[in-house]
Amino acid sequence: METFMGVPRDKIDWCPTIDYKKCNFCMECYDFCPHDVFTKTDEIKLIVKNPHHCVVFCRACSKTCNEDALSFPEKPEVIEKIKAIRKELE
Amino acid sequence: MEERPKIGVISCSGEKCTGGSVARMITRKMLDTWRPHDVVTICLPLFIAGGTEERSFAKDFPTITIDGCKKKCAYRITEKLSGKVNASVDLSTVLGDELCESTINQEPFSEELVIKTKKEVLQIFDRIRAEANFRELKQSGQYKGCGCVEEN
Amino acid sequence: MSNEKIYILPCSGIGKVYGLLSREVAYKVVLDLEPQYTDTICLASLLLEEIKEQVVGKSVICVDGCPKCCAEKSSLEAGMVVEKKYLTSHFVRKYRGEDPGSGSELTETGKKVVDDIAKAIQIEVQRILQERGEL
Amino acid sequence: MKKAILCCNGLDKPVGKIARKVALKLSQLESSEIICLVLFSQFPNRYHKEDYEAVVVIDGCPAKCATKIATNQLGISKRFLISELLKEHKLQHPLSIQSEETDDSIVESLLPFFEKEEHKQERKNETGWDAKAFIYQILKHDKYQFRIPEQKDMFFTENDTWCFINNDIARIGVTDYVQQSLSDILFFNTPEIGKKIVQFDEVGSIESSKAVFEVISPVSGTVIRYNAELVDHPEWINENPYEKGWIAEMQLTNFEEDRMFLINTEEYYKFLQKKVAQHE
């Protein structure tokens, strides 16, 4: 079972969100991400297929996007949530 | 893709002569197109300049050396500093001394020279690959000696 | 006046573009820019005794592809005089965000990097020749 | 090797005046040298990090001129901000630049916060991170070799960053996994000195032709120093991301809570083993 710092990964909300108004489907992020978070589909050329593959707090793909179409949750909120879950588990 | 050890391919530095460029391009072709997932390589001088980890290369992988001329630096240095070489290719026996030792501007490097050596190099590679697979099957106890392999 | 050639020594980097860059730089200097005054030599052969005798004490300009600096270390070990040392990755920085190529071939950016380094080496070669009073 | 005190010029504000007076008092107590900030900023190369066993910086107001000017050249070991100290410990504030009467009592009330630090100073030196050579565990996978330091007081995160704790200062950096996946690192984008960092915030970033990696901080704290050599030699991070390729040093502010998310060498070894195997 995939965990991040002792917390089940599926309980952590961290993955890229694609802003389709900005995205020009250059696929830089798709080529870049070594954990295949993104994938191509027939209807929409680019979607986030495996959000839980995304390394928590990593935003490297958003740096490859010159349309600034990739966004991530606010770090402080995610940290608070992880700490809360962690305390619950203990 | 099940995990099996890759085959090490080391070409000589080959800056001085055409044979060296051919040796290097063979290694690049192996990596890029001929045997992409099966090959691992290392810069030869790392045995001299690198640390101890680099020198374990020939012990970690069954290794083939490819030399561009009869000085056979890749073969000699790998054996001396890293470990036993499973098979060594000397291009001067394939393309001839004269061509191999001509400097790069007398006999410019070309793709055909690489293609000319492809058959022989891949024959050697596949033989080493088969040997490595066979050794691994034996070690893992799957091979029963009668030719059939038990599925674990 | 010794008019022996100055060695341009690339590293034999095989895995990434930085080794290919260093090699192409050496060829550009030795074949195009300064064929009369420069030559190159196989890095690995520096380890062989018969080659060491030829090169000991000779001037060399090293072009390395990664921080391991094999060209510099090996030429020092062979008793050569390292006049100057270049690291190809430093020259790639000028083209931030552009891809210089792979271990097998260079892109247009990669070729520009080769030209930049080769020109820098040419200036260095001319400086050495002037010092020797040969230019 | 002597100790040095560098305090702000502090002419226009009461807290600046206090800062100067505290510096004078401390230098008498500990016979440490006072460095004049203006002289230092004019002739920086007269002062070298190696000459001083410890450099204490005392700023008067939040502008923190002394910290900003001194940071890389001298390598601060301890920083004080008079305005913060007065607020934090609810001490009497100086009235004005001209009035002198209350100054001495204010200085007296502040001194204990400086002396307390002094004893910590001694303990720090023997466990300095530069002191001992690193011992590494090597994780081999395919042709890759990942070094993982086996060092007391060194912790890791699952974002592949490390921190080396030394009293209340942490040195941080990235692990071999990061520098190998980036391959040749070409740029080091420096963090901002004095910036308050929460655990997992970014502390600068490193860039190769493949990607930009934001250095995710393993600890909360204030950035007091970064490895300025990396600006011209980013490849040192490839060479050794733990020793000469360290990224920044931070004044710890919340280590007890941060500790919950830090793992040790064995745990990081297992974590990395699983992660690298998955890539196959």
Side-chain angles (χ1 to χ4, degrees), chain C residues 64-124:
Chain C
D64 272 303
C66 85
K68 287 275 193 285
C69 297
C70 298
E72 186 194 10
K73 283 181 190 154
S74 301
S75 33
L76 287 172
E77 213 174 292
M80 300 178 86
V81 175
V82 179
E83 300 280 351
K84 197 100 190 310
K85 169 196 127 119
Y86 297 92
L87 192 61
T88 53
S89 60
H90 276 191
F91 286 80
V92 172
R93 295 167 61 162
K94 193 170 127 193
Y95 305 90
R96 189 168 195 164
E98 291 176 39
D99 175 20
S102 73
S104 304
E105 76 195 297
L106 297 179
T107 59
E108 277 319 304
T109 306
K111 292 187 179 107
K112 280 188 232 149
V113 173
V114 169
D115 293 343
D116 296 349
I117 308 176
K119 285 197 187 68
I121 291 181
Q122 187 174 28
I123 295 162
E124 187 57 26

Side-chain angles (χ1 to χ4, degrees), chain C:
Chain C
M1 270 294 122
S2 71
N3 50 16
E4 74 199 21
K5 293 200 174 184
I6 300 164
Y7 284 107
I8 310 296
L9 190 60
C11 86
S12 330
I14 187 84
K16 300 177 204 152
V17 69
Y18 302 101
L20 181 58
L21 283 170
S22 79
R23 189 182 181 80
E24 292 301 332
V25 165
Y27 284 149
K28 184 146 187 86
V29 175
V30 171
L31 300 179
D32 305 348
L33 300 180
E34 297 287 354
Q36 212 188 358
Y37 296 107
T38 62
D39 193 359
T40 187
I41 189 162
C42 298
L43 179 53
S45 68
L46 293 181
L47 205 69
L48 310 177
E49 285 318 315
E50 67 267 27
I51 303 290
K52 261 187 187 168
E53 282 129 26
Q54 284 168 20
V55 297
V56 68
K58 296 275 184 6
S59 293
V60 62
I61 294 175
C62 297
V63 190
D64 272 303
C66 85
K68 287 275 193 285
C69 297
C70 298
E72 186 194 10
K73 283 181 190 154
S74 301
S75 33
L76 287 172
E77 213 174 292
M80 300 178 86
V81 175
V82 179
E83 300 280 351
K84 197 100 190 310
K85 169 196 127 119
Y86 297 92
L87 192 61
T88 53
S89 60
H90 276 191
F91 286 80
V92 172
R93 295 167 61 162
K94 193 170 127 193
Y95 305 90
R96 189 168 195 164
E98 291 176 39
D99 175 20
S102 73
S104 304
E105 76 195 297
L106 297 179
T107 59
E108 277 319 304
T109 306
K111 292 187 179 107
K112 280 188 232 149
V113 173
V114 169
D115 293 343
D116 296 349
I117 308 176
K119 285 197 187 68
I121 291 181
Q122 187 174 28
I123 295 162
E124 187 57 26
V125 166
Q126 277 150 6
R127 183 190 64 78
I128 298 170
L129 294 174
Q130 257 142 23
E131 262 170 32
R132 286 186 189 166
E134 276 169 44
L135 200 58

Side-chain angles (χ1 to χ4, degrees), chain D residues 210-256:
Chain D
K210 270 195 191 166
V212 174
F213 178 81
E214 289 173 333
V215 180
I216 293 164
S217 176
V219 285
S220 315
T222 325
V223 181
I224 57 170
R225 205 169 144 220
Y226 58 77
N227 186 350
E229 299 279 355
L230 297 183
V231 176
D232 297 331
H233 295 288
E235 68 277 2
W236 284 6
I237 302 174
N238 291 115
E239 192 57 9
N240 187 325
Y242 306 107
E243 295 183 59
K244 71 178 179 181
W246 62 275
I247 302 272
E249 281 171 13
M250 322 240 314
Q251 177 86 46
L252 290 170
T253 51
N254 187 11
F255 188 66
E256 290 67 34

Side-chain angles (χ1 to χ4, degrees), chain D residues 26-46:
Chain D
L26 272 178
S27 71
Q28 281 153 6
L29 289 172
E30 298 149 12
S31 69
S32 40
E33 176 196 334
I34 287 214
I35 302 175
C36 161
L37 188 65
V38 179
L39 191 66
F40 171 71
S41 57
Q42 279 315 309
F43 306 100
N45 31 40
R46 277 202 205 155

Side-chain angles (χ1 to χ4, degrees), chain B residues 84-103:
Chain B
K84 205 174 156 337
V85 169
N86 294 56
S88 88
V89 177
D90 176 356
L91 290 181
S92 56
T93 60
V94 182
L95 302 170
D97 279 355
E98 198 256 339
L99 178 137
C100 277
E101 274 155 34
S102 55
T103 56

